[in-house]
Amino acid sequence: MGTVAVEGLRKSFGKVQALDGVTLDVPDGSFFVVLGPSGAGKTTTLRAIAGLEKLDAGSVHLDGKDATGDPPAARDLAMVFQSYALYPRLTAYENIASPLRARRCSSSEIAAAVERMSNLLHIERLLQRRPAQMSGGEMQRVALARALVRSPRAFLMDEPLTNLDLKLRVEMRTELTRIHRSLGGTFIYVTNDQVEALSMADQVAVIKEGKVQQVGTPTEVYERPANQWVAGFVGSPPISLLACRAEGDRLIGDGWTLPRPRWTTAEDGRPLMLGLRSEDLSVEQRGDASLAGELYGLEPLGDRTVVDVRVGTEIIKVKARPTVTGTPGERLHVTVDLDRAHLFDAGTGLALSEAGR
Amino acid sequence: MAVSVDEAVATGPARDRTPSARRLGGRGRSVLEVVLLTVLAVVMLFPVLWMIETSIKENRDVYAIPAKFFNFTVTMDHFKDVFVAPGGGRSALSAAFLNSVLVAGVSTALATVLGVPAAWAYSRFSVKAKKDQLFFILSTRFMPPVVVVIPIFLMYRQVGLIDSKLGLILIYAAFNVPFTIWMMKGFVDEVPSEYEDAAMLDGYTRLQAFWRFTLPLLLPGIAATAVFALIFSWNEFVFAIFLTSSDGVRTAPPAIAGLIGGTTVDWGLVAAASLVFALPVLIFAYLVRKHLVAGVTLGAVRR
Ligand SMILES: Nc1ncnc2c1ncn2[C@@H]1O[C@H](COP(=O)(O)OP(=O)(O)OP(=O)(O)O)[C@@H](O)[C@H]1O
Ligand SMILES: [Mg+2]
């Protein structure tokens, strides 16, 4: 068992409202990712779950029981801190052993558990070192080991991979998903990296300024962003947003027009934002849904090239084959897959009902 | 001595002092600097040198006119007189030294035991009107002892603490607790609270987390603070002379001062007693320097 449910968490630090009514429901055994930009309140959310932060309002339920007032030790959780928080005077071995020591395990049990962890995270040769003698990435792995050494109700991980180099980070991502599957515990994983979130999560909660924007599977969050901000935050290159309004069976923008998508129910004249992901656009012309523009720039990324196209006064990003060429200023047409486009209310930023889709 | 301690207190943790010290030792020292430093050194050190000389001169050399700088007979009698009474047995001065050790030691221990947890609490928890409370605590140090000694004398007379070691211990502890809180709050602030957070998630209570993980990191700071408190209690004169009178209770500062007066003054004895009195302070001041430079081993937290 390991369900975590928080409701209406509120916390302010002076004038800063770090948490503004955060509600999350983490199912048992899930890999739950909290995704948000810097300062969104991710760390504060984890600390609230762990019982390290005195809340202004809200409740924390663990395994269905109210744990709002419980001290951290009573909550049976493990946490990887963003700052690692490895004990500076203890060796890596003693750091990893600490949660077991606190729970009075025998030293043979401890030795076995630490060895298992050090094999799992490839830190065998670090065990006798102190934190000051380790690199950032090494400390991060020891911090992970200290959390994983026990089988708590849930693991809380605060950006545990940020300090690793890209190769190791990709490796550790796979490794962590594997560990999650083999341990079967509940993971609550905080990150500001949307690639990490999309690739690892069962469920993603996107938060911004202490408010949950959307909760869903990675596919849901990517394919059906709840609002304009989520659409812009998730996805790389970022989604292109164009101001427009519906007029009869057309969408009219600033210097461009497209057929109105069949599924939208927006009334005529309402200010809208059209969201187009780069992979739903193409510089090859086919069909009638196309935008006329001029080439603004090329970003070759190896496996693909992102073509920046100026349409009216806006720049949109189009994913193209790596072989695409062109000179800036050249006229071209961008074909739009309107079935996969997104429409948002320009005032509220909320996604328009997509019931017809 | 009292002056040097107060100076050291005012500068607090002396890490930022190293650069200027290094500059002094550097190459570009002007003639003016050397001259001024020499003058200063002579002015500052002459009384100390003279005290050392007096303590090992025979009495007739002490009073010799013109003063004898080098060609005097060396004797250790004065030092013997500090510890041994004229008729044999322990001297009153040596009893005073023991009283000083007891009073300074116990009051410092008391101030440390009370002050360190208080400093931790002020550093870690949100306390109502924390700034005002801390300022109030500090303000008790603004007052020089002479200002409060009369009311305290009257209060002590009421509760029967006059002329008792306990009375001195309590008043010194009262003066050292605020100092300890202020010094230690700085040291506790330096230790990231995440160590305690991590320990609590490991399964320790908050107090265990403090005791097992934060306290060891504070030891150098505690040692430095305790030494300052010790020096304050050791040197304190005003309370000691007003609140105590009998030989069995009196501490060293009033006892040494008591040697002066009467018809003849045994300057050799005064000088020897003062030297013995100054020695622990010198040793401790040296230790403080080491501890303050050593600092706390941090660095396992990314900032
Ligand atoms: N102890 C604190 N005192 C004052 N403000 C705080 C404190 N902790 C957090 N905040 C503020 O609360 C907000 C949320 O902070 P939090 O640490 O939860 O962000 P985060 O999402 O973890 O960001 P990051 O990705 O940079 O770690 C920020 O604006 C931050 O400045
Ligand atoms: Mg954070």
Side-chain angles (χ1 to χ4, degrees):
Chain A
M1 270 295 273
T3 67
V4 177
V6 301
E7 212 195 313
L9 299 185
R10 297 180 63 80
K11 170 80 191 173
S12 62
F13 297 103
K15 285 196 196 70
V16 181
Q17 190 72 39
L19 298 182
D20 195 0
V22 169
T23 299
L24 298 172
D25 229 316
V26 183
D28 182 30
S30 69
F31 199 112
F32 191 94
V33 172
V34 178
L35 172 68
S38 190
K42 307 183 294 294
T43 299
T44 314
T45 307
L46 277 198
R47 292 175 57 86
I49 295 172
L52 298 172
E53 214 70 73
K54 202 168 174 298
L55 292 165
D56 299 338
S59 67
V60 178
H61 282 77
L62 301 173
D63 286 340
K65 281 200 261 326
D66 190 356
T68 314
D70 289 1
R75 298 191 183 204
D76 189 19
L77 301 166
M79 181 158 170
V80 180
F81 287 80
Q82 196 169 1
S83 57
Y84 324 133
L86 295 178
Y87 311 123
R89 312 248 294 206
L90 304 187
T91 61
Y93 183 98
E94 292 162 325
N95 264 286
I96 300 170
S98 171
L100 302 176
R101 289 245 163 86
R103 291 177 160 77
R104 306 190 188 290
C105 294
S106 72
S107 53
S108 59
E109 261 178 287
I110 292 177
V114 174
E115 194 189 327
R116 193 161 40 83
M117 275 306 120
S118 57
N119 290 336
L120 193 65
L121 293 159
H122 313 297
I123 46 174
E124 297 93 337
R125 53 187 193 85
L126 303 178
L127 287 180
Q128 294 316 315
R129 294 204 211 158
R130 284 162 201 266
Q133 302 162 320
M134 291 185 240
S135 75
E138 288 167 344
M139 285 196 266
Q140 216 152 26
R141 276 180 286 162
V142 173
L144 264 172
R146 180 175 65 183
L148 293 168
V149 74
R150 232 160 48 77
S151 314
R153 197 173 257 154
F155 298 95
L156 312 177
M157 305 195 171
D158 198 350
E159 311 198 13
L161 303 185
T162 38
N163 243 33
L164 305 181
D165 62 61
L166 188 62
K167 180 168 166 286
L168 196 54
R169 190 173 342 158
V170 174
E171 256 173 54
M172 287 296 295
R173 254 184 232 158
T174 333
E175 194 69 1
L176 267 184
T177 1
R178 201 179 56 74
I179 291 171
H180 170 247
R181 243 180 284 120
S182 66
L183 294 183
T186 307
F187 280 45
I188 302 181
Y189 185 101
V190 158
T191 180
N192 57 29
D193 178 348
Q194 42 108 11
V195 180
E196 217 165 273
L198 297 183
S199 63
M200 301 172 86
D202 297 329
Q203 292 252 303
V204 187
V206 188
I207 72 171
K208 173 202 168 202
E209 288 165 14
K211 289 197 189 75
V212 178
Q213 306 291 314
Q214 184 172 6
V215 184
T217 63
T219 323
E220 278 167 356
V221 169
Y222 189 79
E223 304 267 328
R224 289 190 289 286
N227 59 43
Q228 196 180 313
W229 186 85
V230 172
F233 187 69
V234 179
S236 166
I239 196 167
S240 304
L241 290 162
L242 299 172
C244 63
R245 69 198 140 79
E247 207 74 71
D249 61 352
R250 307 286 298 172
L251 284 178
I252 315 284
D254 178 16
W256 55 268
T257 161
L258 282 173
R260 174 182 178 134
R262 282 185 305 281
W263 45 266
T264 180
T265 52
E267 64 274 27
D268 285 1
R270 175 164 162 200
L272 302 172
M273 289 300 266
L274 176 66
L276 301 169
R277 292 219 186 265
S278 63
E279 65 271 24
D280 302 330
L281 300 172
S282 155
V283 286
E284 289 145 34
Q285 190 160 11
R286 42 182 171 169
D288 59 342
S290 75
L291 297 168
E294 65 183 46
L295 184 65
Y296 190 75
L298 294 171
E299 292 171 49
L301 296 174
D303 58 335
R304 69 207 133 105
T305 293
V306 175
V307 184
D308 291 352
V309 180
R310 190 157 78 195
V311 175
T313 54
E314 319 257 5
I315 309 284
I316 63 175
K317 292 185 175 292
V318 182
K319 195 186 264 184
R321 270 183 235 268
T323 51
V324 71
T325 53
T327 46
E330 190 179 308
R331 308 283 317 163
L332 49 77
H333 284 269
V334 177
T335 308
V336 180
D337 183 351
L338 274 176
D339 284 338
R340 298 182 55 83
H342 307 274
L343 276 173
F344 305 98
D345 184 291
T348 62
L350 291 181
L352 295 192
S353 152
E354 304 186 354
R357 227 198 300 215
Chain B
M1 271 306 142
V3 172
S4 79
V5 172
D6 285 350
E7 241 168 39
V9 171
T11 36
R15 264 167 233 135
D16 40 356
R17 264 203 248 163
T18 357
S20 71
R22 201 174 295 136
R23 228 181 296 128
L24 270 181
R27 311 150 268 127
R29 220 193 265 173
S30 72
V31 181
L32 185 68
E33 252 178 340
V34 174
V35 171
L36 284 176
L37 282 174
T38 313
V39 170
L40 197 69
V42 169
V43 169
M44 298 298 285
L45 291 180
F46 181 76
V48 179
L49 284 175
W50 196 246
M51 185 169 79
I52 295 173
E53 272 203 7
T54 307
S55 71
I56 52 174
K57 275 179 188 170
E58 292 198 343
N59 270 341
R60 60 189 152 75
D61 289 339
V62 170
Y63 290 106
I65 296 174
K68 292 185 175 178
F69 275 90
F70 303 109
N71 49 343
F72 56 84
T73 343
V74 174
T75 172
M76 285 293 144
D77 285 354
H78 300 308
F79 285 97
K80 202 189 101 209
D81 291 345
V82 169
F83 294 104
V84 184
R90 261 208 280 131
S91 69
L93 264 179
S94 70
F97 276 116
L98 278 183
N99 288 339
S100 268
V101 169
L102 185 79
V103 168
V106 175
S107 68
T108 299
L110 203 60
T112 306
V113 165
L114 293 175
V116 171
W120 174 69
Y122 274 115
S123 172
R124 291 290 189 257
F125 298 97
S126 57
V127 181
K128 236 186 201 167
K130 188 193 277 187
K131 282 208 177 117
D132 299 324
Q133 287 193 28
L134 283 171
F135 181 77
F136 170 74
I137 289 171
L138 184 68
S139 71
T140 59
R141 300 278 306 188
F142 293 168
M143 243 177 291
V146 235
V147 177
V148 286
V149 72
I150 301 298
I152 285 177
F153 178 85
L154 297 175
M155 284 191 272
Y156 266 33
R157 207 171 50 186
Q158 284 293 319
V159 295
L161 281 172
I162 283 291
D163 200 21
S164 73
K165 281 179 237 174
L166 179 65
L168 278 188
I169 289 171
L170 288 180
I171 194 77
Y172 291 167
F175 263 73
N176 278 328
V177 164
F179 169 73
T180 306
I181 292 178
W182 266 85
M183 280 284 280
M184 286 314 298
K185 181 171 178 298
F187 283 105
V188 180
D189 285 343
E190 287 282 302
V191 178
S193 58
E194 263 121 344
Y195 299 149
E196 284 162 39
D197 294 343
M200 286 193 284
L201 277 152
D202 283 353
Y204 293 105
T205 65
R206 191 173 259 290
L207 278 179
Q208 284 173 324
F210 166 68
W211 185 258
R212 300 180 65 118
F213 295 97
T214 304
L215 198 62
L217 298 176
L218 292 177
L219 284 180
I222 292 176
T225 309
V227 165
F228 279 126
L230 202 62
I231 292 176
F232 166 81
S233 316
W234 181 259
N235 284 342
E236 209 287 324
F237 178 74
V238 175
F239 285 123
I241 200 149
F242 275 89
L243 301 180
T244 63
S245 50
S246 58
D247 277 354
V249 174
R250 231 164 27 160
T251 53
I256 294 172
L259 296 175
I260 307 169
T263 44
T264 60
V265 178
D266 185 349
W267 288 111
L269 181 62
V270 173
S274 303
L275 273 180
V276 172
F277 179 73
L279 208 61
V281 175
L282 285 177
I283 293 170
F284 280 130
Y286 183 76
L287 289 182
V288 172
R289 185 194 64 93
K290 259 180 69 184
H291 275 299
L292 283 181
V293 172
V296 193
T297 314
L298 304 172
V301 153
R302 178 163 50 103
R303 303 198 192 207

